[in-house]
Amino acid sequence: MITIALAGNPNCGKTTLFNALTGATAHVGNWPGVTVDKREGVCKKGDKPVTVVDLPGIYSLSPYTPEEVIARNYILDSKPDCVINIVDSTNLERNLYLTTQFLEMDVPIVVALNMTDELDKRGDRIDSKLLEERIGVPVVRISAFTGYGIKDLINRAVAAAGRPRKGISVLAGTSISDAVSQVADRMNDETQSPVFHAIKLLEGDSVERSVHKKSASYADKLLSEFDDPLFGNDIEALVANARYDYITKHFSPALYRKETGNTLTRSEKIDRVLTNKWAGIPIFAAILFVIFHITFSEDFLFLGAMGLLGRAWGAEWVCFEGNAYFEGLFGSSAGIMSPGVMLANLLNGITGAVQGGVSGGLEAAGAAEWAVGFVGDGVLGGLFAVLSFLPQILVLFLFFSILEDSGYMARVAFILDRIFRRLGLSGRAFMPMIMGFGCSIPAMINTRTLADAKERTSTVRVIPFFSCGAKLPILTAMAGGMIGAFGVGDAGLITFLMYLAGMITAFVAIIAMRSTTLRGELTPFIMELPNYRMPGFKSTMLHLWDKCKHFIKKAFTVILASTIIIWFLSHFSWNWTFLSDEVMDGSILASIGMLIQPLFTPMGFGAQLNSAGWVFAVAAITGLIAKENVIATFGTLAASVVSGFALDEALEGVDAVEALIGATGVSGAGCIAFILFNMLTIPCFAAVATARGELPKGKFGWTLLFWAITSCSVSAMIYTVGQFVWPIAIWLLVLAAAATAVVIWNKKNPLNKEIKSA
Ligand code: GDP
Ligand code: MG
């Protein structure tokens, strides 16, 4: 079977084309750097099946970034039968820069003019026949998005694969062309693609020079006598300039732009606002807040908040809360619920009914007490506790997918680059971080786009702090439970603040690492901003499914198995007798929980809690397997350890947490500390395994230690501050007053003035 490689600039639609050709569902994103590694599939769209390889996006074939090295080595070493060079036709000239480099290799090339649907919409036109004549290789108009031209493309690529091609250079006729042909002639017997290698050697490409040492010194000899009137002997600049000149002279005539009076494109207009130096970050924060509000808030229209204000000012008429209109599925005493919460409640109603029905049915059929408890609490309680968060995860990820696909996230990376530089990171690190909100595993793999090993290590370490989908149930359930138990707060706000706390921890940790153990150089961050695009329905849904399928799969495998084990350990004593709910404290699990409980005392959810408090310790430990386990553990255990609930009563998610808060007497600060502990501590097994693979040798053990220490110290700090707000505030005031006094005294002290003036 012949092999066809897809190559092109970042964001030109390689992965979309790859998916269209192979029927794969690889991750498509409207930002550069989504595909870091190459990927293979089989395409049956043409007349015969071919192997298709999706390469990472590159702007040139110099060895400056890992992507460039992967793509270049693949084409030179693995020798695909044909390279399809995908060109974003809405950005023709810039994309053809890479094409001029591919032309220099001894490999059949077919140019695919992609995004022609968008080009048509703009009213621009490309004469592909003319372009084909000028470039000298087949040029096919396609739209990876709509499927237009794809079959034709594959057939022409297969045809081209059968005809060997010699590399040609667009540098002919420039001052360097003699040197190029002399070096290339020398290298003819030594290697394939001599023209390509010759140009790279003359440009001073370090990788090439170390491989072809003899020819390199020959090139040096030629260069010592070389002097261009414009560029001197800066060959790299000369070559780049010559390529652009050639493109404008010979390729650009194929492009007809629609005449418009307005010089700003739509994207540029939007960008004037969204990437504004001052407004950019506040807008991003506002967008995030709105997303969290729509997903998590129980008070969607701020009716509850308005009521509180109204009461304070004596305006009773704005007090909607408690209004019977809003009670029920769509509202609560707090106001009208957000769409995310409504969906969650709907699902909870269904799962609650199923759980109640099954338990009730078993009881009615005369099943033993342990069997009813096992099925109701153990299996269904744990499973539903996790699944009940699926609606909110879906809503949140839907928004993230839209932000990503529309091209906005790439802007955020650009806006943040300025700040990131101060922290010691490049804007490139933002992409893996944002991916971390979905799942740490692909995010850690994506750090391969970071060229510097130390920057990479520090980014891998903080990725878990960008709370992933599996940690979301912890946030939501704890926030909801806290509001129920303490009677104050807003779930959307608490969740938002927790995400923020994770991010702040990440940035503080980055600063600390980059200025101590992981100090290093920063490479410049070059990123082209993609055009804004309406996210496609199919790609958004694929994206969503991609993010949720792991969650669902995990729920029915790892989580289900863990809940069953937890149920058994919590309902049997060491001498293997079944325990009823009243004497759960004698169970195997309870005694293990109580043993490790003191570890969590400084964080507010340890030994200071009442009898059922060991559940928090157990949940924190089970979370190390998978973070969903934290809430599954609550779901499995709550109805049993909290007295006053019937066996068939559904108690999961928010209700379970609320009951546990009441029974254990954990404080609000303890709850927040618990969330932060789970968010910042060692991530799930799968993520730990990934980190192990991605980190350089010798860094893995330190990374585990880093996670353990960060989570313990941050949550202990939050607990201490929250628990002792007043004493701490008073001490801080005293300290501040003392410091001020010292400063003032120093200023007044004549001795000091003398020292300064001396
Ligand atoms: P890659 O970085 O080259 O792999 O690019 P992707 O395949 O991830 O695509 C980048 C963006 O361009 C995504 O938002 C795609 O939905 C969009 N896209 C890809 N091909 C087309 C096309 O033919 N027409 C339009 N309008 N959009 C496209
Ligand atoms: Mg891609």
Side-chain angles (χ1 to χ4, degrees), residues 351-363 380 648:
T351 54
V354 170
Q355 193 181 344
V358 169
S359 305
L362 282 176
E363 251 174 299
L380 297 182
D648 60 351

Side-chain angles (χ1 to χ4, degrees), residues 686-702:
V688 168
T690 310
R692 187 178 188 147
E694 297 298 321
L695 285 168
K697 272 211 179 68
K699 296 280 185 213
F700 175 65
W702 290 110

Side-chain angles (χ1 to χ4, degrees), residues 417-743:
D417 186 52
R418 251 184 323 140
I419 301 176
F420 270 41
R421 266 177 197 278
R422 300 227 176 107
L423 306 181
L425 291 181
S426 67
R428 271 181 165 236
F430 173 71
M431 296 160 196
M433 287 177 181
I434 268 291
M435 285 171 98
F437 284 132
C439 173
S440 295
I441 294 166
M444 285 175 177
I445 294 171
N446 191 269
T447 57
R448 289 179 195 170
T449 56
L450 302 172
D452 178 57
K454 287 177 176 168
E455 183 183 7
R456 212 180 144 202
T457 303
S458 45
T459 310
V460 167
R461 284 183 181 168
V462 300
I463 278 174
F465 300 169
F466 294 82
S467 186
C468 72
K471 292 175 185 167
L472 192 62
I474 308 178
L475 299 187
T476 318
M478 291 299 294
M482 282 165 68
I483 291 168
F486 304 121
V488 285
D490 175 85
L493 189 66
I494 295 180
T495 317
F496 178 69
L497 289 179
M498 290 294 100
Y499 269 85
L500 205 62
M503 287 157 77
I504 293 173
T505 311
F507 293 132
V508 171
I510 290 264
I511 297 176
M513 286 188 281
R514 292 292 279 170
S515 52
T516 54
T517 55
L518 294 172
R519 202 175 307 178
E521 290 290 302
L522 271 187
T523 47
F525 173 51
I526 309 162
M527 187 182 69
E528 157 186 14
L529 295 184
N531 286 322
Y532 283 105
R533 290 204 177 90
M534 219 33 196
F537 178 76
K538 203 175 132 200
S539 95
T540 310
M541 288 302 132
L542 273 179
H543 226 145
L544 258 188
W545 172 237
D546 208 42
K547 287 189 168 147
C548 293
K549 73 175 178 216
H550 301 290
F551 187 81
I552 298 173
K553 209 171 113 194
K554 255 198 293 178
F556 282 99
T557 51
V558 183
I559 317 293
L560 189 62
S562 316
T563 53
I564 291 173
I565 293 170
I566 287 166
W567 189 87
F568 272 105
L569 292 182
S570 63
H571 283 78
F572 285 91
S573 66
W574 286 103
N575 50 24
W576 212 243
T577 44
F578 179 69
L579 301 171
S580 73
D581 286 353
E582 285 76 44
V583 287
M584 292 266 296
D585 283 1
S587 67
I588 301 175
L589 195 66
S591 56
I592 296 174
M594 287 172 199
L595 191 72
I596 53 174
Q597 227 183 346
L599 286 178
F600 301 107
T601 309
M603 297 161 225
F605 50 95
Q608 65 269 70
L609 302 186
N610 300 337
S611 65
W614 54 269
V615 173
F616 280 96
V618 169
I621 298 302
T622 56
L624 295 179
I625 300 166
K627 294 295 163 194
E628 294 94 331
N629 266 341
V630 173
I631 289 310
T633 304
F634 286 163
T636 302
L637 295 179
S640 316
V641 295
V642 179
S643 52
F645 287 99
L647 259 186
D648 60 351
E649 205 156 355
L651 196 59
E652 59 209 27
V654 173
D655 299 328
V657 173
E658 189 180 333
L660 279 170
I661 292 176
T664 58
V666 64
S667 66
C671 290
I672 298 286
F674 180 76
I675 301 177
L676 284 178
F677 174 81
N678 284 297
M679 195 168 186
L680 304 177
T681 198
I682 299 171
C684 67
F685 264 9
V688 168
T690 310
R692 187 178 188 147
E694 297 298 321
L695 285 168
K697 272 211 179 68
K699 296 280 185 213
F700 175 65
W702 290 110
T703 303
L704 288 182
L705 192 68
F706 164 78
W707 283 327
I709 291 178
T710 311
S711 57
C712 291
S713 49
V714 170
S715 56
M717 191 178 76
I718 291 289
Y719 172 67
T720 320
V721 173
Q723 199 69 7
F724 307 105
V725 180
W726 290 117
I728 287 178
I730 291 168
W731 275 114
L732 281 180
L733 272 180
V734 170
L735 276 177
T740 325
V742 169
V743 170

Side-chain angles (χ1 to χ4, degrees), residues 9-16 28-30 35 114-115 117-118 143-145 405 533:
N9 283 15
N11 226 33
C12 66
K14 288 174 302 301
T15 304
T16 311
V28 174
N30 197 6
T35 312
N114 191 26
M115 315 234 180
D117 56 324
E118 210 166 294
S143 164
F145 203 59
D405 287 352
R533 290 204 177 90

Side-chain angles (χ1 to χ4, degrees), residues 72-294:
R72 163 167 143 169
N73 287 351
Y74 179 79
I75 297 173
L76 289 176
D77 301 341
S78 307
K79 300 193 181 65
D81 299 287
C82 177
V83 172
I84 294 184
N85 174 207
I86 303 167
V87 166
D88 175 355
S89 55
T90 63
N91 240 329
L92 186 68
E93 282 118 332
R94 195 166 19 178
N95 275 245
L96 287 175
Y97 183 77
L98 181 65
T99 311
T100 61
Q101 299 180 49
F102 282 135
L103 289 176
E104 287 152 4
M105 294 176 154
D106 293 351
V107 61
I109 308 273
V110 172
V111 170
L113 286 180
N114 191 26
M115 315 234 180
T116 50
D117 56 324
E118 210 166 294
L119 192 79
D120 292 345
K121 239 188 271 165
R122 288 188 183 188
D124 295 351
R125 202 168 60 78
I126 294 176
D127 183 343
S128 54
K129 278 272 149 342
L130 179 65
L131 198 58
E132 181 166 318
E133 242 167 59
R134 298 274 172 99
I135 297 187
V137 299
V139 173
V140 189
R141 292 167 52 90
I142 64 161
S143 164
F145 203 59
T146 64
Y148 164 78
I150 285 183
K151 191 168 165 0
D152 187 30
L153 173 68
I154 270 301
N155 286 337
R156 292 194 69 178
V158 171
R163 289 189 302 261
R165 197 186 134 269
K166 272 310 229 177
I168 49 150
S169 170
V170 300
L171 301 178
T174 61
S175 59
I176 193 76
S177 69
D178 280 346
V180 171
S181 35
Q182 282 175 37
V183 180
D185 281 345
R186 260 191 68 105
M187 299 184 78
N188 222 340
D189 313 321
E190 184 181 339
T191 170
Q192 274 195 312
S193 302
V195 176
F196 173 81
H197 291 294
I199 295 172
K200 288 289 164 227
L201 278 182
L202 288 165
E203 282 183 333
D205 178 317
S206 52
V207 175
E208 287 292 324
R209 294 180 70 88
S210 60
V211 179
H212 306 286
K213 291 208 176 73
K214 271 217 186 102
S215 305
S217 52
Y218 181 68
D220 283 345
K221 216 171 74 205
L222 291 179
L223 283 178
S224 63
E225 292 149 26
F226 184 81
D227 188 28
D228 184 84
L230 219 61
F231 294 96
N233 58 0
D234 185 351
I235 309 300
E236 232 183 324
L238 184 150
V239 168
N241 184 59
R243 289 188 201 282
Y244 276 118
D245 272 354
Y246 192 90
I247 291 169
T248 347
K249 220 193 243 138
H250 300 276
F251 299 158
S252 296
L255 171 67
Y256 301 93
R257 283 210 176 83
K258 190 180 154 194
E259 292 292 331
T260 50
N262 197 336
T263 46
L264 285 185
T265 64
R266 197 181 46 139
S267 274
E268 282 164 344
K269 273 189 231 157
I270 301 175
D271 271 345
R272 289 199 137 183
V273 182
L274 291 187
T275 59
N276 181 285
K277 202 169 157 198
W278 305 111
I281 289 172
I283 289 176
F284 179 50
I287 290 176
L288 282 188
F289 179 79
V290 170
I291 290 175
F292 282 98
H293 189 71
I294 294 177

